[in-house]
Amino acid sequence: MATVAVYNMEGVKTGSMEISDSIFCADVNKSVLHTVVTNYLANQRQGTQSTKTRTEVRGGGIKPWRQKGTGRARQGSIRAPQWTGGGVALGPKPRDYRLGMNKKLKKIALKSALSAKYEAYEIYVVEDLKMDEIKTSVIAKMLKGMDITSKALIVTAECDQNVYKSARNIKGVTSTYVDVLNTYEVLRNDKFVVSKDAIAKIEEVLA
């Protein structure tokens, strides 16, 4: 089985542990990764953008001048698109950008992302990632001990507000928990820092 190094909260290596080959040593399916990431980003779009057409802009209820005899072009309203203050022709309207995705593809993509991290030696397991209080310096010291200076994703087994609030003030560091872990966040960050019990939960969910 594949093995990864285990660290303590001081960032000091204390040993190693075995992880599932079927999850962390799977084939990296780039096509599925692209599909899932594109799907995720599309689903983040609010789709609330909106412009007013000539029927929605205030004013313009009267013909600006008579049809013939003025020498000027025919106009029916000062709120037509070619006028300053007029409506927008073919502008955006609110719409839903969400795309569907089946669970099987999501699992394959997450396995591929985790396998890519393992292949690149970017997975760091923490023995007991728990905090009794909110303290940014504790997380900073842990990352420094692991020699992590780039973007990092910290993953806990359950939602941990102390870890989340301690990590959010560090530039480039984000945190999440297993139930909401997604492929995009794994790929977006350079390092994958995960608690030992979170590894067990990931293996249980993706088995």
Side-chain angles (χ1 to χ4, degrees):
M1 292 182 71
T3 59
V4 289
V6 178
Y7 299 82
N8 60 19
M9 285 293 288
E10 303 291 321
V12 178
K13 183 177 178 181
T14 58
S16 61
M17 68 174 287
E18 293 184 342
I19 54 177
S20 174
D21 287 341
S22 62
I23 295 171
F24 294 93
C25 293
D27 293 332
V28 179
N29 192 322
K30 292 183 179 180
S31 175
V32 172
L33 284 175
H34 178 268
T35 300
V36 171
V37 169
T38 302
N39 176 278
Y40 176 84
L41 293 175
N43 291 348
Q44 301 311 299
R45 298 183 68 176
Q46 290 184 319
T48 55
Q49 73 278 26
S50 183
T51 53
K52 290 183 178 181
T53 64
R54 60 185 294 170
T55 64
E56 297 168 320
V57 177
R58 185 177 179 181
I62 189 172
K63 192 174 175 68
W65 52 75
R66 60 197 173 103
Q67 182 82 347
K68 293 177 179 291
T70 64
R72 290 178 287 186
R74 295 171 293 185
Q75 299 292 331
S77 170
I78 62 170
R79 291 296 176 256
Q82 73 270 21
W83 284 75
T84 299
V88 176
L90 306 176
K93 285 291 184 183
R95 57 168 286 193
D96 185 8
Y97 288 94
R98 293 189 66 82
L99 300 172
M101 176 67 62
N102 63 57
K103 291 181 180 179
K104 184 178 178 181
L105 277 184
K106 285 183 180 180
K107 275 191 173 184
I108 292 172
L110 189 51
K111 285 181 181 180
S112 294
L114 293 172
S115 297
K117 288 296 174 191
Y118 176 75
E119 203 174 280
Y121 301 100
E122 293 174 347
I123 295 180
Y124 299 77
V125 178
V126 181
E127 180 73 41
D128 191 18
L129 186 50
K130 292 179 182 176
M131 299 180 65
D132 298 325
E133 59 179 339
I134 300 168
K135 208 165 182 66
T136 300
S137 60
V138 173
I139 299 294
K141 184 179 179 181
M142 180 185 75
L143 296 175
K144 185 178 180 181
M146 295 175 181
D147 198 27
I148 296 175
T149 55
S150 54
K151 290 196 296 183
L153 176 67
I154 298 175
V155 182
T156 55
E158 306 292 342
C159 181
D160 191 325
Q161 287 295 315
N162 287 343
V163 173
Y164 167 72
K165 290 180 179 180
S166 297
R168 68 181 177 180
N169 287 331
I170 305 174
K171 185 178 180 181
V173 177
T174 53
S175 61
T176 187
Y177 56 101
V178 175
D179 290 346
V180 295
L181 181 65
N182 63 76
T183 302
Y184 175 74
E185 287 297 332
V186 175
L187 294 176
R188 189 176 70 88
N189 291 279
D190 299 322
K191 307 297 182 183
F192 186 76
V193 181
V194 58
S195 66
K196 199 170 183 179
D197 51 348
I199 284 281
K201 193 169 182 179
I202 288 171
E203 290 179 343
E204 181 184 341
V205 171
L206 297 181

